[in-house]
Amino acid sequence: MPTISSFYGIIIVMYLRDKEHNPPHIHAITQDFEAPFQLSDGEIMEGYFPLKAQSMVKEFIAKYRTELEEMWETENYRKLPPLN
C-alpha cells in the first residue's frame, strides 16, 4: 500500500490494483477513520469520514486527478505534494 501523500493528519494511499476493485479510487486514513474515495469525482464510496477531511480529500483528488488515474493504471506510484 504505497503512501501517495499526507497532509493535515490525512494519509493518502493506493493499494495494488490487482488486489483492488473498480472504480479507480484512493484510501484516505486518519487516526480514527479510513474510507475509499473515487478518482472520478472525489466522492466517498462507503463508510464515514469527517466532513472537513472529506472536503480536503476531494480537493486533493481534483488537483491531482490525472496523476492519480495514471498511478491506478500503471502501478507506478510516486509521492505527490500535500495540500497547502
Side-chain angles (χ1 to χ4, degrees):
M1 126 180 96
T3 299
I4 306 299
S5 190
S6 62
F7 48 88
Y8 304 111
I10 301 168
I11 299 169
I12 304 296
V13 301
M14 187 178 289
Y15 295 104
L16 297 175
R17 195 175 116 207
D18 62 347
K19 298 192 184 301
E20 275 294 297
H21 54 87
N22 278 317
H25 62 282
I26 57 170
H27 290 257
I29 303 167
T30 67
Q31 182 175 351
D32 298 319
F33 304 99
E34 178 176 355
F37 288 80
Q38 296 184 113
L39 297 184
S40 62
D41 59 9
E43 293 297 322
I44 191 169
M45 293 171 61
E46 61 186 35
Y48 174 79
F49 212 69
L51 291 177
K52 185 173 182 179
Q54 278 188 47
S55 176
M56 288 187 275
V57 172
K58 191 170 187 170
E59 179 183 346
F60 178 82
I61 291 171
K63 184 172 185 176
Y64 296 112
R65 180 170 288 116
T66 301
E67 293 90 339
L68 292 166
E69 288 173 345
E70 179 183 317
M71 283 187 241
W72 178 270
E73 289 300 321
T74 65
E75 294 188 11
N76 291 327
Y77 304 108
R78 65 183 190 277
K79 296 273 188 186
L80 294 175
L83 290 179
N84 295 346

